[in-house]
Amino acid sequence: NKGGRVGFIGATGSGKSTLLDIIMGLLPPSEGALIIDGQSVTNENKRGWQSNIAHVPQSIYLSDNTIEQNIAFGIPFENIDRMRVKKAAKLAKISDLVDKWEYGYQTIIGEQGIKLSGGQRQRIGIARALYKKASILILDEATSALDNETESLIMRTIEELDQDLTILII
């Protein structure tokens, strides 16, 4: 249901990520259909469905660019909403760290975020998903590189997000 929080738990290879790939319209179901609000997701309407989804994978792609541009990934520089970037970073629990850096949100992070720790890269990925303001947030082991304290903070933040936001978590 809209606003639901659903967790997927299972052994490695049990199909959790495959199920989310089907839900995101990246893979067709081998049987049956993906039906959302009574409508089958087809090749013709798949893009519309996907526009509602923000996905945070276990391994985050980061470009050799600024923190700001990586959070607002795919948005032309002149169209980036800087307040939205900062709000997303705050929700992802990385703003305090970025604010301490000499260049703040204009800090270049290097290819694949080489200048960041694994946990920092994942928090940038979570901030990117929150920046998108999608109605469905999918976290595919997105907190696996975080220490227990940061993971707990982010999970509490996720619980407090808009009650209309649907969250699926592996």
Side-chain angles (χ1 to χ4, degrees):
N1 291 329
K2 183 175 184 173
R5 273 54 172 165
V6 180
F8 297 87
I9 301 170
T12 299
S14 63
K16 302 177 300 289
S17 293
T18 301
L19 176 60
L20 290 185
D21 285 346
I22 291 169
I23 291 170
M24 290 186 289
L26 301 174
L27 285 175
S30 56
E31 291 181 27
L34 174 61
I35 300 173
I36 307 298
D37 293 335
Q39 276 196 339
S40 186
V41 175
T42 64
N43 283 332
E44 290 75 33
N45 64 12
K46 178 169 51 174
R47 286 280 182 222
W49 165 241
Q50 291 170 331
S51 69
N52 294 295
I53 299 171
H55 176 236
V56 183
Q58 186 172 2
S59 178
I60 309 293
Y61 171 78
L62 297 172
S63 65
D64 185 10
N65 228 315
T66 66
I67 295 283
E68 177 183 82
Q69 289 169 304
N70 272 283
I71 291 174
F73 191 73
I75 306 295
F77 182 78
E78 61 277 3
N79 295 339
I80 293 174
D81 181 335
R82 277 136 188 101
M83 294 305 295
R84 195 156 131 195
V85 165
K86 289 180 180 184
K87 182 178 180 185
K90 185 173 183 166
L91 289 171
K93 306 299 183 200
I94 194 158
S95 63
D96 288 346
L97 178 66
V98 174
D99 288 338
K100 291 177 187 173
W101 292 342
E102 181 179 358
Y103 299 107
Y105 289 89
Q106 300 311 310
T107 301
I108 302 288
I109 61 171
E111 192 66 38
Q112 282 300 321
I114 194 74
K115 297 178 181 178
L116 304 174
S117 72
Q120 291 166 344
R121 285 191 292 269
Q122 285 195 297
R123 285 182 274 170
I124 295 292
I126 292 166
R128 178 186 293 166
L130 296 172
Y131 179 89
K132 185 177 177 186
K133 289 189 171 179
S135 58
I136 300 164
L137 179 61
I138 295 180
L139 303 170
D140 190 349
E141 298 187 39
T143 59
S144 63
L146 302 177
D147 60 80
N148 289 338
E149 183 180 339
T150 304
E151 180 180 25
S152 180
L153 278 171
I154 288 176
M155 293 310 293
R156 267 186 269 142
T157 297
I158 287 169
E159 290 171 22
E160 295 166 2
L161 292 173
D162 186 341
Q163 293 305 304
D164 285 337
L165 177 65
T166 302
I167 303 173
L168 307 177
I169 305 173
I170 291 182

